[in-house]
Amino acid sequence: MMNSGRQTIKFQKEAVITANYGIAGPKEKEGALSDYFDYILEDDTFGEKSYEKAECKMHLHTIEKAIERANISESDIDAMLCGDLLNQIISSSFSARELDIPYLGIYTACSTFGAALALGSMLISGGFMSKVACSTSSHFSTAERQYRYPLELGTQMTPTAQWTVTGSGCSILADSGEGPKITQVTIGKVIDYGIIDANNMGAAMAPAAASTIIAHFKESGRNPDYYDMILTGDLGIFGSELVNKLVESEGISIASRHEDCGRMIYRPEQKVRMGGSGAGCSSLVFNTYIMSKFRKGELKKLLFVPTGALLSRESSLQGESIPSIAHAIAVEV
Amino acid sequence: MMNSGRQTIKFQKEAVITANYGIAGPKEKEGALSDYFDYILEDDTFGEKSYEKAECKMHLHTIEKAIERANISESDIDAMLCGDLLNQIISSSFSARELDIPYLGIYTACSTFGAALALGSMLISGGFMSKVACSTSSHFSTAERQYRYPLELGTQMTPTAQWTVTGSGCSILADSGEGPKITQVTIGKVIDYGIIDANNMGAAMAPAAASTIIAHFKESGRNPDYYDMILTGDLGIFGSELVNKLVESEGISIASRHEDCGRMIYRPEQKVRMGGSGAGCSSLVFNTYIMSKFRKGELKKLLFVPTGALLSRESSLQGESIPSIAHAIAVEV
């Protein structure tokens, strides 16, 4: 139960991922993983009057359905650990308003789902809680108008840009039950290589992903070939190339088993440039496609590394570069 | 170490608060607790080109000084749990960028310091970490222009409004050492009584504070007279009256030992209406004035209840009411 390194915690008592649910938007329906999503919005307003309200509804619906999947009720959940990209993470707190569950809001941008799993697995392993819900969401239209430009402008994407995933995912962690377990977590440090282009998140986040992956292998004593897959969050095509090179420079080769949620969620013909991004990207892919691979026995050992760019509109406008972070979660059967 | 109720966790192994630091702004210097602050900004830009950069610098400085006070170095800290009111909590993540410490961002508005202490004490009690830094900040000028109006407008405060504290506080929690201990935590649920006036946060937050305080007393088996003081975060004058009445309606009387950080930080002649608010309000007061009372032996048992209003500018503009939350932390020698 003690640190096996400064950033890495190896659990003696391991939290079990007992249930999952993931909701996607219409653009994601046209993507490569469509068959795996539990529910798909036909219309990205989800019947609401604003995109922000739609994201809140999607986030809430995801948590409620994951609880249902776990065959438990709201009152069985000891805490919800949630986050999203909206200012003041309102998708999360407005979801919590509808639920009778103690709430802790988490924010490390698109790596938030990793932070939630890391904290959730510690709260369970420590014996403080027996069931925890971890969830995140993002929505193309809320992110675009909050971080970039009004949607009405129809602004073109730059070559290195990524498309924010409309999606939400939730995992139920428990102290017992059936499912893959969280065996180790490596908590990330904030890394900033001085990238200032908010349309090149892959480049901003790759050094943070590399830092966490390197720390994980140094501290865990494991090698990349221990895992069937090393799955980063939303580095996209360019960021994925970068992370492989950065990790390689430390003598660790992950290329043969590296995948990226942002790179796999869409199809090339969808014109999403470098791929998907957003706090909902990795949580949607993890809670649907990846967990189905675990259930089918096609995946047994995964290092899941959600990645996040910690900028805000104000920080970019004030000329700041983009600090980034990644957390690594070892999931095993 | 197990739940002694759904929201309340009673620790067998208790985290120790080994060091504290608090920085305040010029308006707080004129307030009632000025003598206790560790450092006071003469100018609320702190020599920076923007208020946002000033808040980041203040937050970072507070963490660095708290680490110094604990007679340890950055590399001794296993994680920093931080949050603030800026969009995407950039004061926290930009502080983390400057420090070689694993980072977890937390957000439950002005109750964030309570969430950080709750999580930090669980991570230490569970044996996962030996030292954790918990910090929050707020800044009048960043909050005012982000949540309300441009500063240049010189907008008048409404009668029920509160003044956002320019301040930052940090606690170092450890698995051993000298200092008061965190013995129990009660994690809040999100409560919304339908208040839509963003200038009446006290009314919005009082039901959440009452909910957590009632849960704490029901689950802990303690009575209000167990504590020397029950200290809410930033309910202000009106919210403090409300919370007393709401708790009283459940047959629990806290009025004789209830204090509120927002109500005590300024002087009436400072024209701050209902008092102070902000994520830095309760953390500044706790880490300076309150901890000095512990050190002098004037305080032995405290129930600290930071309170938060989970709105955003967008949620208010879209007609949403204000969901709120409070977390309770029992601190004892």
Side-chain angles (χ1 to χ4, degrees):
Chain A
M1 196 147 73
M2 290 302 295
N3 270 357
S4 51
R6 176 128 182 270
Q7 294 176 250
T8 302
I9 293 148
K10 183 176 176 175
F11 296 113
Q12 309 234 291
K13 182 183 165 191
E14 295 158 347
V16 188
I17 304 171
T18 57
N20 310 84
Y21 200 83
I23 299 186
K27 180 118 183 168
E28 292 66 33
K29 184 184 176 181
E30 308 302 321
L33 306 180
S34 181
D35 291 348
Y36 299 93
F37 303 146
D38 294 305
Y39 187 84
I40 294 173
L41 309 184
E42 290 303 316
D43 164 3
D44 69 353
T45 66
F46 209 177
E48 295 292 312
K49 284 185 181 171
S50 75
Y51 296 119
E52 289 74 17
K53 288 181 196 282
E55 184 178 337
C56 294
K57 184 176 171 182
M58 177 176 69
H59 198 134
L60 171 62
H61 197 67
T62 307
I63 300 169
E64 288 177 330
K65 287 289 178 182
I67 293 173
E68 209 176 291
R69 278 268 174 87
N71 277 315
I72 53 176
S73 64
E74 271 178 47
S75 60
D76 296 316
I77 306 279
D78 297 311
M80 48 195 285
L81 303 175
C82 316
D84 60 86
L85 301 182
L86 285 181
N87 294 339
Q88 287 70 55
I89 58 169
I90 55 169
S91 306
S92 302
S93 51
F94 279 72
S95 293
R97 177 175 71 170
E98 307 301 324
L99 298 165
D100 184 35
I101 303 175
Y103 169 72
L104 292 161
I106 311 293
Y107 184 81
T108 56
C110 305
S111 72
T112 301
F113 191 64
L117 290 179
L119 283 167
S121 54
M122 286 189 268
L123 301 191
I124 284 175
S125 179
F128 306 114
M129 298 186 180
S130 65
K131 287 180 186 67
V132 169
C134 300
S135 64
T136 60
S137 64
S138 55
H139 190 297
F140 173 77
S141 299
T142 65
E144 197 64 15
R145 68 187 192 174
Q146 178 180 281
Y147 286 100
R148 296 183 191 91
Y149 301 100
L151 294 160
E152 295 78 357
L153 267 179
T155 312
Q156 285 202 326
M157 293 175 84
T158 66
T160 55
Q162 290 172 245
W163 187 277
T164 307
V165 167
T166 298
S168 179
C170 178
S171 292
I172 306 295
L173 309 187
D175 56 1
S176 61
E178 292 289 309
K181 292 177 176 178
I182 296 177
T183 57
Q184 296 194 6
V185 298
T186 301
I187 298 171
K189 294 177 186 172
V190 178
I191 307 289
D192 189 335
Y193 271 28
I195 303 290
I196 55 164
D197 180 2
N199 286 306
N200 194 356
M201 299 287 199
M205 295 189 290
S211 159
T212 299
I213 291 169
I214 292 164
H216 178 77
F217 287 117
K218 287 190 175 168
E219 296 181 349
S220 67
R222 292 176 174 177
N223 295 312
D225 58 8
Y226 178 85
Y227 293 105
D228 303 321
M229 186 192 287
I230 296 166
L231 178 67
T232 49
D234 54 353
L235 296 177
I237 296 170
F238 179 52
S240 290
E241 280 180 35
L242 270 180
V243 76
N244 281 310
K245 288 193 176 144
L246 288 166
V247 174
E248 186 77 49
S249 72
E250 289 284 316
I252 300 167
S253 178
I254 59 166
S256 65
R257 53 201 74 228
H258 175 245
E259 300 278 353
D260 180 75
C261 300
R263 207 172 47 178
M264 62 169 67
I265 191 166
Y266 297 115
R267 295 180 198 277
E269 59 270 29
Q270 287 185 282
K271 294 185 182 168
V272 292
R273 306 295 188 188
M274 294 296 106
S277 66
C281 176
S282 58
S283 73
L284 171 62
V285 172
F286 178 83
N287 284 293
T288 58
Y289 173 63
I290 293 296
M291 290 307 293
S292 85
K293 285 181 91 75
F294 268 109
R295 277 191 295 271
K296 288 182 216 154
E298 293 168 15
L299 200 53
K300 290 191 167 62
K301 293 179 193 301
L302 169 76
L303 188 67
F304 179 43
V305 192
T307 42
L310 300 163
L311 79 170
S312 76
R313 179 144 69 177
E314 292 72 24
S315 72
S316 289
L317 289 173
Q318 293 182 14
E320 288 284 357
S321 54
I322 306 172
S324 297
I325 192 164
H327 307 291
I329 315 292
V331 182
E332 303 180 58
V333 287
Chain B
M1 199 147 71
M2 291 301 296
N3 271 357
S4 52
R6 176 128 182 269
Q7 295 177 250
T8 302
I9 292 148
K10 184 176 176 176
F11 296 113
Q12 309 234 292
K13 182 182 166 191
E14 295 159 345
V16 188
I17 304 171
T18 57
N20 309 84
Y21 199 83
I23 299 186
K27 180 119 183 167
E28 293 66 34
K29 183 185 178 182
E30 308 302 321
L33 305 180
S34 181
D35 291 348
Y36 299 94
F37 303 145
D38 295 305
Y39 187 83
I40 294 173
L41 309 185
E42 290 304 316
D43 164 3
D44 69 353
T45 66
F46 209 177
E48 295 292 312
K49 284 185 181 171
S50 75
Y51 295 119
E52 289 74 18
K53 288 181 196 282
E55 184 179 336
C56 293
K57 184 176 172 183
M58 177 176 70
H59 198 132
L60 172 62
H61 197 67
T62 307
I63 299 169
E64 288 177 328
K65 287 289 178 182
I67 293 173
E68 208 176 293
R69 279 268 175 87
N71 277 315
I72 53 176
S73 64
E74 271 179 47
S75 60
D76 296 316
I77 305 278
D78 297 310
M80 48 194 286
L81 304 175
C82 316
D84 61 86
L85 301 182
L86 285 181
N87 294 339
Q88 287 71 55
I89 58 168
I90 55 169
S91 306
S92 302
S93 50
F94 279 72
S95 294
R97 177 175 69 171
E98 307 300 324
L99 298 165
D100 184 35
I101 303 174
Y103 169 72
L104 292 161
I106 311 293
Y107 184 82
T108 56
C110 305
S111 71
T112 301
F113 191 65
L117 290 180
L119 283 168
S121 54
M122 285 190 269
L123 301 191
I124 285 176
S125 179
F128 306 113
M129 297 187 180
S130 67
K131 288 180 185 65
V132 168
C134 300
S135 65
T136 60
S137 64
S138 56
H139 190 298
F140 173 77
S141 299
T142 66
E144 197 65 13
R145 68 187 192 174
Q146 177 180 281
Y147 287 100
R148 297 183 189 92
Y149 300 99
L151 294 160
E152 294 79 358
L153 268 179
T155 312
Q156 285 202 325
M157 293 175 85
T158 67
T160 55
Q162 290 171 246
W163 188 278
T164 306
V165 166
T166 298
S168 180
C170 179
S171 293
I172 306 295
L173 308 188
D175 55 2
S176 61
E178 292 289 308
K181 292 176 176 178
I182 296 177
T183 56
Q184 296 195 5
V185 298
T186 302
I187 299 170
K189 294 177 185 172
V190 177
I191 307 290
D192 189 335
Y193 272 28
I195 303 291
I196 55 164
D197 180 2
N199 286 305
N200 195 354
M201 300 286 199
M205 295 189 289
S211 159
T212 300
I213 291 169
I214 291 164
H216 178 77
F217 287 118
K218 285 189 175 168
E219 296 181 349
S220 67
R222 293 175 174 177
N223 296 312
D225 59 9
Y226 178 85
Y227 294 105
D228 302 322
M229 186 192 288
I230 296 166
L231 178 68
T232 49
D234 54 354
L235 295 177
I237 296 170
F238 179 52
S240 290
E241 280 180 34
L242 270 181
V243 76
N244 281 309
K245 288 193 176 143
L246 288 167
V247 174
E248 186 76 50
S249 72
E250 290 283 317
I252 300 167
S253 178
I254 60 166
S256 65
R257 53 202 73 227
H258 175 245
E259 301 277 355
D260 181 74
C261 301
R263 206 172 48 178
M264 63 169 68
I265 191 166
Y266 296 115
R267 295 180 199 277
E269 59 269 30
Q270 288 185 281
K271 295 184 182 169
V272 292
R273 305 296 188 187
M274 294 297 105
S277 66
C281 177
S282 59
S283 74
L284 172 62
V285 172
F286 178 83
N287 284 294
T288 58
Y289 173 64
I290 293 296
M291 290 308 294
S292 84
K293 285 180 90 75
F294 269 109
R295 278 191 294 271
K296 287 182 216 154
E298 292 168 16
L299 200 53
K300 291 192 165 62
K301 292 177 194 302
L302 169 76
L303 189 67
F304 179 43
V305 192
T307 42
L310 300 162
L311 78 171
S312 75
R313 177 142 70 176
E314 293 72 24
S315 71
S316 289
L317 289 172
Q318 292 183 15
E320 288 284 358
S321 55
I322 305 171
S324 297
I325 192 163
H327 307 290
I329 314 293
V331 182
E332 304 180 57
V333 285

